[in-house]
Amino acid sequence: YIKIVQAFERNHNGGECMRTCLNERERYNIEYALKAGQTVQQIAATLERAQSCIYAEIKRGTIEQLNSDLTVRKEYCADVAQRRHKEKCQSRGVGLKIGNDIQLATYLENKILNNGFSPYAAMQSAKKDGYNVPFGLSTLYNYIRGGVFEKLNKKHLSRRRKHNVHMRQAKKKYNKNVLSIEQRDRDINKRQEFGHWEIDTVVGRQGTTTCLLVLTERKTRYELIRKMSHKSAECTAAELDRLEKEYGDKFKRIFKTVTSDNGCEFFGGGIVNKSIYGGERFKMYYCHPYRSNERGSNELQNRFIRRFIKKGIDIAGVSKKRVKEVQDYINSYPRKLFDGLSAADMLAHETGFI
């Protein structure tokens, strides 16, 4: 590991820095162009660099020179700019950041490789566990790209995927006896109040019946996952009955509204939303057909589940203990959305609930 770090230092900090920095040849071109009377705009166009980059470089390399009449003039010197650049690179090098801290490097590598954490989540987890992390996220990405972590490569860099959303025309109308998401209070969209959930099911291999009931709280992203023997309204109602008994008097404060898709497991002629104590459990709203983005939190959380329970697996073979482990992993995952806090941390702020 130490040899890899030393090689990274030589490649990126001992001489030239990252590819985004100007090199020595470009600095001499800037000096020559300025003496020839070219403008910053012309120099930037010639070197194919941003004008702000050229301005910053001129500022870095500008020195004062004495004229023959002892007056002072300011001019750009490529040699001075190159020397200052090298000094800055060496002062911020790897040796002063991750250096020989093999324990920290091993921790980050294991979190990313074995626990499926993003680089950001791995860093936040390290800080939470008491490690001194003397560098930022961009530096960690540079370490991974530069080969500091032997087992990690570019495929482990967390990137958001862009999805093209194709809206399909609705082929069925709402049941007149249920509430549309259009009737839901618009303040719920602001995610400022705890107690508004999204519900969905995650199915297993085609031809099997066992599935997972998934509930996601919109404000904290707290996740509840329950294993069901069938994807049916009766099983959904039975599982919600258990939750209602589990939370008792707190249930109404925890579950104020629930938003679902138009799956048959959420209708059942009203049995899903029928409280064991009589009346409604909560206000239940239904999304538009083919609009999964109206339950965006739910859908994103399902990706976490698929890391451990792949498509094509018979969920009947997944133990309830394993389902609980997946739930705990999701709830303890550090999130950039919450400045490194997890859903469980956010829930802890909602005192008196769970």
Side-chain angles (χ1 to χ4, degrees), residues 304-317:
F304 273 108
I305 296 174
R306 288 302 187 188
R307 290 186 183 184
F308 306 96
I309 304 174
K310 306 292 184 182
K311 288 185 177 181
I313 290 179
D314 186 355
I315 297 178

Side-chain angles (χ1 to χ4, degrees), residues 212 225 227 318-327:
L212 298 175
I225 308 176
K227 186 177 176 181
V318 181
S319 66
K320 289 186 177 181
K321 180 182 177 182
R322 182 56 174 164
V323 172
K324 180 66 165 55
E325 289 173 352
V326 174
Q327 175 184 294

